[in-house]
Amino acid sequence: LVRRVERTTDAMESYSDRIEPMVWFDPVPFASLDQADEYTLKSVCMWGVLSDQIDTLERLEDGITLVPATLIDRYAAALFGPDFRFSGHGYFEDQIFQLRYKYDEETQMYAVPATSLNNNYLPRVVDVVREPGGVRRVVMGYVSTLNSDNQVVAAPDYDNPVRYMDYMLRRDGSGYYLYAIQNNTTYAAASSSSISVPAEESLPELGLEDPILPDGPAITSDPVPEQDEVESAPSLPGEDDASMDSSAA
C-alpha cells in the first residue's frame, strides 16, 4: 500500500514548476543521474536559470546572455540534490535544440545565443504518490504546445496531456530531489476531453526554498477530496507560451 497526496492547485504547481525545465528538454528515461546525458542536464539548468533570472543576467549588445557557471551549479543542486556535481564546465552543444554554448574560463560564464527555446511540451502534474524509501513518484503529463499540423497553439490543452512520464524524487535531508525518469504505465494519453485522475492525500513539503527555481505556467486544477490509502499502480518510475526567449527584455 502507498499513499497518494492531496491534489490542490498550489501543491501540484510546486512540483510542476520545479520539474518544468526537464519537460522542455524531454530527456530519455534514465534510472539514475549518472546514466543521464550530462549536456542535457546542464541545458536544463541553464534554461532554468534563464527563466528565473533573465532580467538580472548580463546582456551583450548582440543579444547574447551571460550565465555564470555558479548559478547553473546552484540550480543543479536544488533540482538533483546537494551532492550532485557536473564533471566540469566548458563549451558544449545541446543536441535537442541544436544550441551551442561557449564558455569563458576566465570569467566562468556561458554565452547563451539570442534565441528562443521552442519546446514541444509543458508540464501538468496529475498524480504524486508516496513510495517506500522516502520516494515520491510524480506522474507528469506532457501537454503539447503544437496542434496536429505542428503549429504552435495559443492555448495548450492542459486537460489532455499527450503522454505521461514518472519523475522519481528521493528524500535527502529536508528536501526531495530528482534522481530518475521512467516511462509511466498507469495513464494513457487522453483521446477525448476528459481523463481520469486518482484522488490523493495531503502533499508532502518539498523542503526547498531555493530562489532560483523558476515560475512555471499557471496550471488550474480543482482540489480532489481526500481518500484513504489506496493500492499503488505498478512502480515505474508564465503564460501559455510555447517558447522561452533568452533575448527577452
Side-chain angles (χ1 to χ4, degrees), residues 13-241:
E13 284 187 1
S14 68
Y15 282 93
S16 178
D17 292 350
R18 187 174 171 201
I19 299 173
E20 180 171 16
M22 294 291 292
V23 176
W24 295 341
F25 282 83
D26 187 22
V28 297
F30 52 85
S32 62
L33 291 170
D34 59 0
Q35 295 181 12
D37 180 74
E38 180 170 318
Y39 292 154
T40 298
L41 298 185
K42 192 176 292 184
S43 296
V44 165
C45 295
M46 178 91 68
W47 283 88
V49 171
L50 285 165
S51 172
D52 185 60
Q53 301 197 32
I54 188 63
D55 292 333
T56 64
L57 297 172
E58 182 178 355
R59 304 281 300 283
L60 303 182
E61 291 184 359
D62 55 4
I64 289 177
T65 303
L66 301 181
V67 180
T70 53
L71 291 185
I72 294 174
D73 288 338
R74 285 183 58 211
Y75 196 100
L79 182 58
F80 306 126
D83 296 329
F84 178 83
R85 299 288 186 276
F86 290 115
S87 61
H89 287 289
Y91 171 88
F92 73 97
E93 297 183 14
D94 161 40
Q95 298 302 315
I96 296 177
F97 292 101
Q98 304 299 312
L99 296 176
R100 299 174 181 177
Y101 303 99
K102 296 180 180 179
Y103 184 71
D104 188 311
E105 291 284 353
E106 183 175 349
T107 62
Q108 297 186 357
M109 287 193 177
Y110 285 95
V112 181
T115 187
S116 296
L117 191 68
N118 297 312
N119 47 298
N120 292 333
Y121 303 105
L122 294 171
R124 182 203 170 195
V125 175
V126 297
D127 201 0
V128 180
V129 183
R130 296 186 180 101
E131 296 193 345
V135 170
R136 301 289 180 265
R137 176 165 59 91
V138 179
V139 181
M140 181 68 73
Y142 278 50
V143 178
S144 179
T145 62
L146 306 175
N147 60 22
S148 58
D149 296 323
N150 286 327
Q151 301 297 313
V152 175
V153 296
D157 186 0
Y158 282 97
D159 290 332
N160 293 284
V162 295
R163 62 189 177 91
Y164 298 87
M165 302 293 289
D166 287 349
Y167 281 73
M168 308 301 291
L169 282 68
R170 181 182 291 120
R171 187 179 184 87
D172 184 353
S174 62
Y176 289 86
Y177 302 95
L178 179 68
Y179 72 91
I181 300 177
Q182 299 183 354
N183 292 308
N184 175 269
T185 61
T186 60
Y187 285 77
S191 58
S192 64
S193 60
S194 63
I195 60 175
S196 176
V197 178
E200 302 147 4
E201 296 187 11
S202 61
L203 188 68
E205 294 294 332
L206 291 179
L208 285 178
E209 296 180 357
D210 193 291
I212 68 172
L213 292 180
D215 291 325
I219 299 177
T220 58
S221 174
D222 294 331
V224 175
E226 292 189 0
Q227 177 177 317
D228 292 334
E229 290 186 348
V230 296
E231 290 194 9
S232 170
S235 172
L236 293 172
E239 299 287 333
D240 289 332
D241 288 338

